Amino acid sequence: MVWIYPPGRRGWMKTHDFSFGAGIGNEGFFENLRTDLREVLETWASSALAGMNVSDVSSVGVIARSVTHAQAAENIDLLCERLANVLRSLSELER
C-alpha cells in the first residue's frame, strides 16, 4: 500500500507524508496470510524505501515506513521500479 498525505498532515494510524507498506490494521493480519503472499508483502514493506532516510510508521497489523515529499520526488524512478516489482511478484503468485 501507499498512503500519501499533504506535508505536515498525519494520516491513518501513524502514516504521514509518503508512507509505503502492507497491512490492514488487524492484529494477526500477517500471521493469517498464506506464506507466499505474506513474504511478498513483508519484503515490499521492508524494501520499498530501502536506502532512504525513513521513519518507521508501523502499527498493529501494519508494517510501514515513511519518507518526506522531497525524498519521494528525488527517488521517484526507484520507487516506481520497486512498486512494479511488488506488483509483478503478486501477479506471479499461485491463485
Side-chain angles (χ1 to χ4, degrees):
M1 293 182 208
V2 178
W3 301 272
I4 303 172
Y5 304 99
R9 296 277 312 270
R10 292 268 176 200
W12 180 74
M13 303 297 255
K14 297 190 296 184
T15 56
H16 59 87
D17 295 316
F18 276 74
S19 298
F20 297 80
I24 58 171
N26 290 346
E27 190 170 349
F29 171 74
F30 290 101
E31 295 79 6
N32 294 321
L33 289 176
R34 294 180 359 207
T35 302
D36 57 347
L37 177 56
R38 182 178 66 242
E39 288 174 355
V40 169
L41 293 177
E42 288 177 339
T43 298
W44 157 253
S46 64
S47 67
L49 301 175
M52 295 178 222
N53 184 24
V54 301
S55 57
D56 184 359
V57 293
S58 300
S59 54
V60 174
V62 176
I63 300 171
R65 311 288 183 268
S66 184
V67 295
T68 65
H69 290 260
Q71 286 178 297
E74 290 169 9
N75 293 284
I76 192 70
D77 292 335
L78 181 59
L79 293 173
C80 288
E81 178 183 327
R82 290 177 177 173
L83 181 56
N85 288 341
V86 75
L87 292 174
R88 186 173 10 314
S89 295
L90 289 170
S91 72
E92 292 170 353
L93 292 177
E94 185 176 316
R95 296 175 199 253

